[in-house]
Amino acid sequence: MLKLQDLTKAYRTDEVETTALNKVNININAGEFVAIMGPSGCGKSTLLNIVGMLDNPTSGAYIFLNEDVAGYPESKLAKIRKENIGFIFQSFNLIDELTVGENIELALLYHDDVSSKERKERVTAAMDKMGIAHRAKHMPSQLSGGQQQRVAIARAVVANPNMILADEPTGNLDSANGEEVMNLLTALNKEGTTIVMVTHSDHHAQYAQRTINLLDGQVVTENLRAAQ
Amino acid sequence: MIKNYIITAIRNLLKHKLHSFINIFGLAIGFAVAMLIAFFVRTELSFEQGFTKADQIYRLTWESKTTGNRFGTVDNPAGPAMAKDFPEVLDANRLATSEMLLSVDDRQAFETVYFSENNFFALFDLQFIEGSPANALADPNSIVLTQSAAEKYFGDESAMGRSLTLGGSQDMVVTAVIADMPATTQFTMNFLAPMETAAALFGGEFLERWGSDVLHAYLLLAPGTDPVALEAKFPDFIDRYMDGRSEFISYRLQALGDIHFTPNLENELPERDGITGAVKSFREKSNIYILAIAALFVLVVASINFINLQVAQASHRMKEVAVRKVNGATRNDIALQFIGESLFLALFGFAAALILTEIAAPWFGDLSGVRFSLFQHTGGLFLPAFVGVALLVGLISGLYPSLLLAGLLPAKIFKGEFFSTGSGAHLRTGLVVIQFAIAIGLIIATTVIRSQVEYSMEKPLGYDRSEIITIPMDRRIIRENYVTLKTGFLTYPDVVSVTSSSIAPTRDLSDGWSFTEPGGSEEETLSVRAAFVNFDFFETYGIEMAAGRAFSEAFGNDRAPFPDAENPHIETTVILNETALRTWGWGNPQDALGRTLLTNYTDDGVELSMAFTVVGIARDVHFRSLRNEIVPMAYMNAPGGAMISIKTSGDNMAGVLDHIGGVWSSVIADYPLRTTFIADDYQALYADEQRSLELSSVVSLLAIIISCLGLYSIAAFIAEKRTKEIGIRKVHGASVPALVRAVSLHFLKPVLLANLIAWPLAFYFMDQWLTGFAYRIDLGLSPFLIAGVGAALIALATVLAHAIRVARSNPVHALRYE
Ligand SMILES: Nc1ncnc2c1ncn2[C@@H]1O[C@H](COP(=O)(O)OP(=O)(O)O)[C@@H](O)[C@H]1O
Ligand SMILES: [Mg+2]
């Protein structure tokens, strides 16, 4: 599905240069569920942002579906992104001014090939699947964290992406809600969606088939989960 | 998708209610002011342009070479003579106005009656409701009424064929009813009678008398005629009819459209429409331009405000932009959303402005004298032009955030602080500086204009204008009974003194007069404006003598008849003003006393002469507005004149007027009494300035309000942005006053910078404006300080509220923001 080769990301702020990712090489196959772990500031989010084409690497190659997208301009990235990738964030990133339904609809809004009727149907289906249909007209601020994250997941899946990127999706949730999010992600993966998830929790990393450990911008170990 | 944009836009508006309100309302005020003033300016600039032949019509005016005074009238026969002598003068029309007693059945009132010739309607196309232009003035007894005049006297019935009486004796028949005069013509005409009638009423010969200038003359020039080339032929023309006069006077052509913008001519058309009450003030074009510029500035301030607030507002929405991008929105999608939203908001503000103009229309009408109606006056390019500006403002304010955000990778937007730092902050500060510079400039200008107008209104004019009542002496019966009236008036304790004169303060000066000195050559004339005044004139008006004495009945020689064939030589006295002495180099007033001045002239072949002994030097008096310089004057003692002036104690004014009315009706039967106050007339002299002042005060006040609303909103926004920073500072020991000081200084800097920009510009332009006055104030520091300190204080007060709120808030609360 994707391949990172000697991928480096450096941030320049005024005089200081931070190398957030240092010559990272990673392969992720279609249908995999990969967890990324590491201490705070080691570059997990940076990695996920680049994989998700929300940011450009400084150097190295990023082969996505046989295409090196590393130097692509935002407009091209936007197109690939919307056709292939769904996102889930730790802080949910729902738009405060839109209702639950409208937030989910957002992921289909910029797809010209989806009619408004189909949009409605798919949004309803996604909400049903996440068990939030009765909240369709609510504003995000009226929901609990777990409910908000379910909305975010519904939004991430409604466009049927090949891959879902989740940056600490359970970080702001209590354990029960966290568990439920993990179950939803696992179910999605079972349906064939590639999932890359950043997490701090060893327990949640157990849901993945493979864990990549980062330290100071470099991959230190990769372990396959022993038991499926 | 559109629906989603609209939903987000509306919910964002509602979420930041105050911000949205300030944004839209500020723009609406700006547009409303700009539209009203644009309408006013357009109306002013279109004076006389409604007449089809406006471009070809010029008014013939004359100017005294010795005093420089210019007159709206010209020697009575000059117009027709020009039509005869110059092929390029196709036609000439003469016009006179007179206030006359008009009676219909037993109703009587004074009305301004216009007298003109048959070709009036050929030059000025007016709309006929009844009757036709061809024969409206054909019969000497015919009279044309405007619709309002017809309604006033004949109600709903047709006025056609009805009769009325002019001046108590002249019977007239209504031959036509025309539509009311357009608002954009200087004619305040409601009654138009043939010139023959004027001849019958005032003595026919005057129409042919050179040297008498009671008539206005309008010339129709052949298309393509160069008025300057025609003017070059006037000196010969003048000498052809009045031998040698071209040395003292010149004729000038005044384009019809310029009449409205030449406020200081003498012998002008009446400004007040006697029926509708509308006042068509002559105006200084520069005052119109000042207003136009002020309005433009308000529009700029409001637009900047809008742009600034939209940009600031966009920063609340970075997360939204990032999320949309994460979900597939492209650069264009984001740009379209923001531009569309701003366009919509700008148009919304514009629509609100339309409502505001309708609400403000009556008030604005009082202030400007021009009635605005949205549905009548917004034809042509008027609305499209403003809609265009609104769209432009919307486009710019949407473009900036789109350009900034649309092209960025979402990761940067999530992180970014584009608006509180870097280029965004600089741009915003720059715009705030411009806004305040404009507002400060407008306040300085208004303060200077106000000072100059107040200076004009309160400058010691050399005479007392309070508590003086005047009564026109426009009938022989009044002149003949002057002494009886005076004696009668004076029996009332609050009547201090009574006089009569050919001139009075605030009115036009009378004709010129020439003296020679004994032993001097006939060529070396000393020119003055002659004032014929009765005893007690100087006492009534409180005009002081620099030397010598005022006229007094104790000196028999003060009053002498004009010379005639029987008494060809007359000796009498004269009082000069200080300017005359200065102009002639006569030294100090004391030395001038006792000198002699001569006036010799021929009448019907008889050589007549007058010898005047200077008995007094009167202090200079500003008879007209301060725009006019004081000219050399000679006061001569004569009975009669144009008006009676009554000085009162100022107490018990109702009793005084009652008493005057009683005396009047016992002496003058069946001719109504008309009284005016000199002080009111004086106010009217400055009507144009007053009006411009009021308008520009309102406009600059609005500019400041809009700027402060904007600053308030920006400050709120920045305060919010800095909540976390301030929280951290507090946790580490910063005191509330220190924080308030820091935040306030942050906002004062742009205001101080604005002063630096505004002061020199305002100084330059106001200094220019003041050169238009003969007597002007000096530009001191105070208007600048008032504006600068005022703006800073208002800005500080605006910002302080936020600064204090943020600085005092609980740091724990502040730090909870992520
Ligand atoms: N926009 C940015 N500008 C500068 N430095 C950044 C930026 N984003 C991340 N960094 C730095 O890059 C490193 C990795 O950050 P991040 O990927 O967010 O770490 P993690 O998600 O593993 O906690 C950190 O040292 C962080 O300070
Ligand atoms: Mg992170």
Side-chain angles (χ1 to χ4, degrees), chain B residues 611-677:
Chain B
F612 298 91
T613 306
V614 178
V615 296
I617 306 298
R619 293 259 183 235
D620 276 341
V621 171
H622 287 278
F623 270 111
R624 305 215 70 232
S625 125
L626 287 182
R627 282 187 189 279
N628 308 95
E629 281 187 65
I630 295 177
V631 294
M633 293 210 34
Y635 299 93
M636 303 172 193
N637 191 316
M643 70 211 66
I644 301 172
S645 304
I646 304 162
K647 165 87 182 161
T648 72
S649 69
D651 299 326
N652 195 13
M653 203 49 97
V656 170
L657 288 171
D658 226 38
H659 174 74
I660 290 175
V663 173
W664 181 270
S665 46
S666 71
V667 178
I668 317 277
D670 56 65
Y671 197 69
L673 169 71
R674 277 169 298 158
T675 54
T676 52
F677 287 87

Side-chain angles (χ1 to χ4, degrees), chain A residues 11-13 18-20 38-47 167-168 198 200, chain B residues 411 415:
Chain A
Y11 290 110
R12 213 160 296 131
T13 41
T18 320
T19 308
S40 191
C42 70
K44 306 181 295 290
S45 295
T46 305
L47 177 68
D167 193 348
E168 298 187 37
V198 169
H200 279 298
Chain B
K415 287 257 179 198

